[in-house]
Amino acid sequence: MLDKKKIKEKLEMERDTLLGELRDMGKLNSETGEWEATPEETDHPEPDQNDAADRFEDFESKSSMIRSLEPRLQNILKALKDINKESFGRCVVCKKNIEMDRLEANPAARTCKKHLEN
Ligand SMILES: [Zn+2]
């Protein structure tokens, strides 16, 4: 029997961790529903070129972090939405129950070990 309560707790914990990381680096654009990196605040009213380059680099690295975190967050939100459905915990390919240890490692998993997405 699938321990949905335990999985839900895990999902919520991961969601909060991811949201915390995303909030450190950017903000949610309420119009597009997408996370955007926030440029670093500058202490100098007229930053020199090096400073501008640093800030651009920082912005770029935040953007790429956000691009990798965002799909993980989406997966988790989707799993949380689907957790009470009959289909939750079943492989989308073969419809069999996903192995418990796989769900524990990745509660948002949508396939069994045999049909691993990656
Ligand atoms: Zn399968």
Side-chain angles (χ1 to χ4, degrees), residues 91-96 98 111-116:
C91 172
V92 293
V93 182
C94 65
K95 316 283 182 213
K96 286 185 185 151
I98 298 173
T111 56
C112 69
K113 284 181 189 167
K114 207 173 136 193
H115 298 112
L116 275 176

Side-chain angles (χ1 to χ4, degrees), residues 5-15 103-107:
K5 191 170 168 273
K6 198 167 147 199
I7 291 172
K8 190 168 178 234
E9 279 168 13
K10 255 184 106 80
L11 283 166
E12 284 170 344
M13 247 168 58
E14 273 198 46
R15 177 197 59 193
L103 277 178
E104 281 193 7
N106 175 12

Side-chain angles (χ1 to χ4, degrees), residues 52-91:
D54 281 352
R55 285 173 59 222
F56 181 74
E57 217 167 273
D58 176 73
F59 181 77
E60 281 295 289
S61 79
K62 280 182 186 165
S63 295
S64 76
M65 279 293 285
I66 286 175
R67 278 195 300 271
S68 76
L69 291 176
E70 203 173 17
R72 283 170 56 199
L73 180 66
Q74 295 306 335
N75 278 343
I76 286 168
L77 292 179
K78 187 168 167 26
L80 276 170
K81 220 174 82 190
D82 290 347
I83 197 161
N84 290 318
K85 288 187 186 166
E86 177 66 20
S87 59
F88 183 84
R90 288 178 199 240
C91 172

Side-chain angles (χ1 to χ4, degrees), residues 22-59:
L22 282 164
R23 286 199 189 105
D24 276 349
M25 291 177 291
K27 58 176 171 41
L28 186 62
N29 182 324
S30 54
E31 279 172 36
T32 61
E34 281 178 18
W35 285 87
E36 290 167 358
T38 43
E40 200 177 1
E41 303 284 329
T42 172
D43 328 317
H44 318 288
E46 286 170 40
D48 61 34
Q49 229 168 10
N50 282 337
D51 198 36
D54 281 352
R55 285 173 59 222
F56 181 74
E57 217 167 273
D58 176 73
F59 181 77

